Amino acid sequence: MQFRDLKAQYQVLKPEIDAGIQAVIESSAFILGKAVMELEEKLAAYIGCKHCITCGNGTDALQLALMVLDIGSGDAVFTSDFTYFASAGTSSILGATPIFVDINLDTFNMDPAALEVQIKRVLVDGKLTPKVIIPVDLFGQPADYDRILPIAKKYGLKVLEDGAQGFGGNIRGKMACSFGDISTTSFFPAKPLGCYGDGGAVFTDDDEIDARLRSLRAQGKSSIDKYDNREIGINSRLDTLQAAILLPKLKAFMEYEIDSVNRVADWYMDRLRDYFVTPTVLDGFLSSWAQYTILLDGKEARDAMRSKLKDKGIPSMIYYPRGLHQQDAFKWMGLDNSMYPNTIEATMRCLSLPMHPYLKEDEVNTICEALLEW
Ligand SMILES: Cc1ncc(COP(=O)(O)O)c(C=O)c1O
């Protein structure tokens, strides 16, 4: 059994994917070829955004977005404490200071009340200027934008949506990756929409931001001359080959994969909800189920269950074993666990189970039987 079965997906989409790869090789337009433009148009239309700018990966997408917002030394960037490192590392690399926010244990997403406490703390402290909030759509569910966006407005902060895991989710029909002033996603292979290598994208409705991002992803070049560099940028483009692979995958994603993962989530929920803490999807929210993560009673029970599943050939993962405030890279901040009780709880009790659109009901039964045997 696979944690995320990319081979099963390839078997279904093989003719279109192979033909797409072949066409790119024959065209030799490996960089910013036709498939990249076509993909950017289709992604923007799907998200309901004016512009999509693809790039090398989801980390670069975040960095490019922070660069276009002119984030740097002295700025405070608020993000979830329970997320992948890139949500915070990208602010640090630009000289800004990430401020970690505790999560809501039901959804694993940033707790808006804790966010406001942190913003006020930074303001009282007076050393940093609050600039951006990076809510993360963790495990596929959009962050609580109904509550986060008014907080951003109240304090005059920009919102950068980290939709690396949330692509395909929505809130009352409004798509993930459309909630931020700028939003980003990742096409890492195991993501809800993944390519066959690294890839990422930035979404915005703003024409000027779009133009500047296209320059920043190409060394800050001007729009007329490749060798005329207006500012410092990076080299971060989506390969045409990856775009050609993503085109048929996006079609399948829109046509049936999102429905399929939600069906798998329902199977899990029906079988597990009386015995484990199963994930909560807020009213009106749709998850794209980047992960299906349950909570066990404690660390010992979780670790024992994980090895029991392993013995039965069932893969599982711990997303995430530590909060960002516990990372050595951020040790210098001297942050205490007591500020992040829900992150700590999640790190000790979380267990992510196999989840993908090609998971069969009898496989879910096997996983749930192994979990319930205990
Ligand atoms: C929440 C989150 N943000 C950002 C990223 C970075 O994406 P990439 O791996 O494409 O750089 C990831 C990928 O794992 C992620 O899960």
Side-chain angles (χ1 to χ4, degrees):
M1 190 184 299
Q2 302 288 314
F3 189 73
R4 193 158 191 104
D5 199 342
L6 298 176
K7 286 184 190 155
Q9 184 195 47
Y10 176 59
Q11 285 318 311
V12 176
L13 303 177
K14 191 174 185 322
E16 294 109 296
I17 290 178
D18 288 359
I21 292 173
Q22 198 56 41
V24 175
I25 294 172
E26 272 160 26
S27 76
S28 289
F30 296 112
I31 304 292
L32 296 182
K34 212 172 91 215
V36 177
M37 317 307 156
E38 191 184 335
L39 180 71
E40 288 185 345
E41 273 170 29
K42 291 203 162 131
L43 288 170
Y46 175 60
I47 297 303
C49 234
K50 201 163 168 197
H51 305 288
C52 168
I53 306 95
T54 53
C55 62
N57 53 65
T59 306
D60 283 358
L62 284 167
Q63 183 175 330
L64 285 163
L66 289 166
M67 286 168 84
V68 90
L69 291 171
D70 295 314
I71 296 307
S73 173
D75 295 336
V77 178
F78 301 84
T79 195
S80 175
D81 188 45
F82 188 66
T83 176
Y84 183 65
F85 190 77
S87 312
T90 42
S91 333
S92 291
I93 220 159
L94 295 174
T97 304
I99 306 291
F100 308 125
V101 178
D102 201 14
I103 55 161
N104 181 319
L105 205 53
D106 292 338
T107 60
F108 301 104
N109 276 332
M110 174 186 276
D111 173 4
L115 168 66
E116 189 158 14
V117 169
Q118 288 290 54
I119 296 170
K120 284 183 180 161
R121 199 183 55 75
V122 170
L123 286 170
V124 168
D125 203 32
K127 293 193 191 105
L128 299 167
T129 312
K131 283 278 178 71
V132 183
I133 304 168
I134 306 185
V136 181
D137 303 336
L138 206 78
F139 300 159
Q141 177 166 207
D144 191 350
Y145 294 101
D146 291 340
R147 293 172 64 203
I148 292 172
L149 295 179
I151 295 173
K153 197 163 174 214
K154 181 171 167 189
Y155 293 94
L157 308 182
K158 293 282 184 206
V159 173
L160 163 50
E161 175 182 3
D162 182 350
Q165 300 185 19
F167 187 86
N170 72 57
I171 304 178
R172 298 179 294 276
K174 182 169 165 57
M175 299 303 288
C177 297
S178 74
F179 291 101
D181 296 287
I182 307 180
S183 305
T184 62
T185 198
S186 161
F187 302 124
F188 182 80
K191 292 285 185 263
L193 176 67
C195 59
Y196 287 171
D198 278 312
V202 188
F203 298 90
T204 181
D205 283 328
D206 187 305
D207 296 346
E208 272 174 38
I209 288 179
D210 170 59
R212 208 170 145 215
L213 281 169
R214 287 181 193 284
S215 162
L216 284 169
R217 76 172 172 185
Q219 313 278 5
K221 74 175 180 72
S222 78
S223 56
I224 17 171
D225 180 358
K226 186 175 169 183
Y227 299 105
D228 173 28
N229 301 80
R230 300 287 167 92
E231 61 177 322
I232 309 293
I234 59 177
N235 175 27
S236 185
R237 297 164 300 211
L238 183 75
D239 289 345
T240 314
L241 277 169
Q242 297 301 346
I245 290 160
L246 280 166
L247 280 166
K249 282 188 150 218
L250 175 63
K251 190 162 175 278
F253 186 82
M254 295 189 296
E255 281 176 1
Y256 61 86
E257 286 188 351
I258 275 287
D259 291 342
S260 302
V261 280
N262 275 282
R263 195 162 47 242
V264 175
D266 288 345
W267 292 334
Y268 271 132
M269 175 93 86
D270 285 348
R271 290 154 180 80
L272 299 179
R273 79 173 134 213
D274 292 339
Y275 309 94
F276 298 93
V277 180
T278 49
T280 303
V281 177
L282 298 178
D283 244 9
F285 284 51
L286 183 88
S287 177
S288 57
W289 296 109
Q291 304 297 340
Y292 191 88
T293 303
I294 58 172
L295 291 178
L296 281 87
D297 285 345
K299 187 170 179 338
E300 239 173 69
R302 190 267 315 272
D303 293 347
M305 182 65 87
R306 190 163 186 230
S307 54
K308 209 187 99 169
L309 292 176
K310 191 170 172 224
D311 291 345
K312 290 182 179 270
I314 298 170
S316 63
M317 300 292 282
I318 296 174
Y319 293 125
Y320 292 92
R322 57 189 70 83
L324 292 182
H325 79 276
Q326 296 172 295
Q327 298 288 354
D328 276 354
F330 296 122
K331 219 178 188 166
W332 61 272
M333 291 186 182
L335 297 169
D336 194 78
N337 281 354
S338 61
M339 288 170 70
Y340 303 99
N342 291 334
T343 292
I344 296 297
E345 190 82 10
T347 58
M348 291 195 294
R349 296 174 55 197
C350 66
L351 187 67
S352 301
L353 304 175
M355 175 48 112
H356 57 84
Y358 301 87
L359 203 62
K360 298 194 178 69
E361 191 166 10
D362 58 354
E363 290 178 298
V364 172
N365 286 337
T366 305
I367 298 162
C368 294
E369 274 158 26
L371 285 162
L372 295 177
E373 234 174 56
W374 217 26

